[in-house]
Amino acid sequence: MKTYFQVYDYRAPTEQMRYPYRRGRAKKPDSKRIEKYADTKLMHFSVFPSYFVIPFWYTTLLPLVRLLHHVIWDFFMPQYLRKIHLRRTPIQHVDHLLDEKVPFAPEHVGCYMDFINMWIRPLTMLLKRFGIAQGSKLCAEWLRYITLTYREAFAMYKICMTTTYRPKPTTQQIKRLYSVDPHYMCVPSLHIAIVNLCHAFYRMIFEREEFTEKEIEKWQNELFNHAVEIGETVLYLKQHSVNCIPAALYMMTRITPELFTPQDAIIFIDSLFKDAPDVSPEDKTRINSHIRFIYERFLLEGALEDDWKEPVLRWLKDYTPHTPAYADI
C-alpha cells in the first residue's frame, strides 16, 4: 500500500493531502491572547511548558510516545548496537573535498545543540497562544510529522549507515558531543531535515490558522534564519558533509510535498554561508553549487521512483569518499 506522499496530487491536492496529520481543528484564540504573545520572539519562549504539558495531555501523549519510540529504536539504539558490533549494517564515509573549505569551528556547538529546542520553543508558543486544549492539537500534528521524518530516515540508515571524518576534539563540549554520538547516520542529515521541516510546517500553520501578518513576518523569518544557522553548523563542526545536506532536502521534498518544495530547498541552499566571514565567496559558490547539483540529481533520478531512497542508494554505491586533512585517524 502506498503512503500518502507517494500518491500526492501536486495539481489538485485534496484537503486530506494538504493536512495529512491534522486530527481535529483548533479554535481561533481571542484577540487578547494573540496580542499578548505577538511581540515575543520564538527564542524567548521557554521549552519547559512543553515539557510539562505535552507528555501528560491526552491529545499529545500518544504522538509523543510514538516519536520517542522511533528516536530511541530508529536512531540511537541502531548506532550504539553497531558501535559494539551487535549490528552489522555497512558503514560508508561520505566526505567531500569541499568539506575542508569550511573551517572546523567548535564555537558553533551551542547553535548545533539548539537543534532540539528550535522545534520545542514553537510548541510552547502554540500552547500559550491557543491555550492547552486547542494548541495541543497543533503540537500533536507536529509530532506526527517529525515521527514520519525519523521513520523515513531510518529506512535509509538500516540499509547503509554513513559517517564522516571528524577532527580531534579541542573543547570539552566537543568531547561530550563525540562521546554520546556514534556518528553513523549522516545521509540523510536529520539536523537538516528537521530544521527545514520546522520552518515549512509553521509556514503552513501560520497560514491555515490565520496568524496575523505581524506574527507571520516575525516568526517565519526567525525560524528560517535559525534553520540556516543550524544548517551551517553541521559543516562547521564536521558532523556532516556537504553531501549529507542534499540528501536530507531531497527526502523532505519527497515525504512532505505538501510542506516542502524544490523551491524551498533551493532557497535554503542559496542562503547557506551567505554572511559567513570565514568562508570565501568562491568557496561559498562551490559549496552551494555542489549541494544544488546533488539535490537536483536526486530529484531528477527519483522522479519516476516510488521509493525516494533509490537514487540516494545508487549514489552511495558509486561514491568514492575524500579523506580530509583533519581526519583523526
Side-chain angles (χ1 to χ4, degrees):
M1 183 177 177
K2 292 186 176 182
T3 59
Y4 85 90
F5 55 80
Q6 290 175 318
V7 296
Y8 185 80
D9 186 347
Y10 290 88
R11 293 166 298 179
T14 64
E15 185 166 292
Q16 179 60 34
M17 288 180 177
R18 292 172 62 202
Y19 312 123
Y21 292 111
R22 178 167 66 177
R23 307 288 186 270
R25 297 172 185 259
K27 295 179 182 177
K28 188 174 181 177
D30 60 49
S31 58
K32 287 185 178 180
R33 270 190 179 275
I34 294 173
E35 291 170 6
K36 183 176 181 180
Y37 300 107
D39 291 322
T40 306
K41 288 185 177 181
L42 289 175
M43 185 67 72
H44 294 159
F45 283 96
S46 171
V47 298
F48 292 108
S50 292
Y51 289 151
F52 289 125
V53 172
I54 290 175
F56 306 105
W57 194 257
Y58 70 96
T59 310
T60 49
L61 174 58
L62 186 56
L64 178 63
V65 169
R66 287 173 176 159
L67 170 62
L68 293 177
H69 170 82
H70 284 284
V71 170
I72 293 168
W73 292 103
D74 291 354
F75 186 73
F76 286 110
M77 288 304 295
Q79 292 188 84
Y80 290 126
L81 291 173
R82 183 64 180 84
K83 188 172 184 178
I84 61 175
H85 306 292
L86 292 179
R87 193 180 182 100
R88 299 296 180 183
T89 310
I91 302 174
Q92 180 170 335
H93 276 269
V94 291
D95 304 82
H96 191 276
L97 178 64
L98 288 172
D99 296 334
E100 297 188 71
K101 302 301 180 181
V102 180
F104 178 54
E107 62 269 22
H108 290 280
V109 70
C111 182
Y112 177 84
M113 298 299 289
D114 195 51
F115 153 73
I116 296 176
N117 286 341
M118 178 199 173
W119 60 261
I120 295 179
R121 285 189 291 262
L123 299 181
T124 298
M125 177 273 291
L126 294 176
L127 293 172
K128 288 184 174 294
R129 186 185 186 275
F130 286 86
I132 293 175
Q134 302 304 317
S136 63
K137 298 175 185 177
L138 305 178
C139 293
E141 189 173 0
W142 162 260
L143 293 172
R144 295 183 188 105
Y145 264 115
I146 194 172
T147 300
L148 166 73
T149 305
Y150 271 95
R151 189 174 69 235
E152 288 296 319
F154 178 66
M156 173 69 70
Y157 303 148
K158 70 180 180 181
I159 298 172
C160 180
M161 289 183 171
T162 42
T163 191
T164 60
Y165 290 105
R166 297 188 289 189
K168 191 173 182 179
T170 55
T171 68
Q172 286 300 317
Q173 283 183 304
I174 296 295
K175 287 180 181 178
R176 285 195 292 270
L177 174 62
Y178 285 9
S179 68
V180 300
D181 178 19
H183 193 53
Y184 295 150
M185 293 182 171
C186 287
V187 173
S189 163
L190 273 170
H191 263 70
I192 298 297
I194 291 173
V195 297
N196 278 282
L197 173 66
C198 188
H199 80 76
F201 173 80
Y202 282 98
R203 178 178 58 197
M204 177 273 290
I205 289 293
F206 293 158
E207 179 182 354
R208 190 187 73 192
E209 304 301 329
E210 299 179 345
F211 279 60
T212 65
E213 289 185 13
K214 179 181 179 180
E215 291 172 314
I216 294 172
E217 183 178 359
K218 186 183 190 70
W219 291 337
Q220 190 64 54
N221 287 337
E222 187 177 349
L223 284 168
F224 179 77
N225 291 337
H226 199 33
V228 171
E229 288 173 351
I230 292 175
E232 293 171 351
T233 67
V234 305
L235 297 181
Y236 277 125
L237 296 181
K238 308 305 173 187
Q239 285 291 104
H240 285 286
S241 165
V242 293
N243 288 323
C244 307
I245 296 174
L249 297 174
Y250 164 68
M251 178 181 76
M252 298 315 294
T253 306
R254 289 295 303 273
I255 70 172
T256 57
E258 72 282 6
L259 295 181
F260 193 75
T261 67
Q263 290 83 359
D264 293 323
I266 297 303
I267 291 171
F268 179 80
I269 293 168
D270 289 345
S271 299
L272 292 171
F273 302 107
K274 203 170 188 178
D275 301 314
D278 46 6
V279 180
S280 72
E282 295 79 12
D283 289 335
K284 291 176 192 177
T285 300
R286 292 175 63 197
I287 289 168
N288 293 358
S289 295
H290 174 78
I291 295 172
R292 183 190 283 220
F293 173 77
I294 299 297
Y295 170 75
E296 291 176 348
R297 170 182 168 173
F298 289 155
L299 206 59
L300 289 171
E301 290 186 12
L304 299 178
E305 300 277 5
D306 284 337
D307 188 345
W308 68 267
K309 300 187 298 297
E310 289 303 319
V312 184
L313 289 170
R314 285 195 295 268
W315 173 81
L316 281 172
K317 183 179 179 182
D318 297 335
Y319 186 67
T320 302
H322 168 73
T323 302
Y326 55 75
D328 184 21
I329 54 177

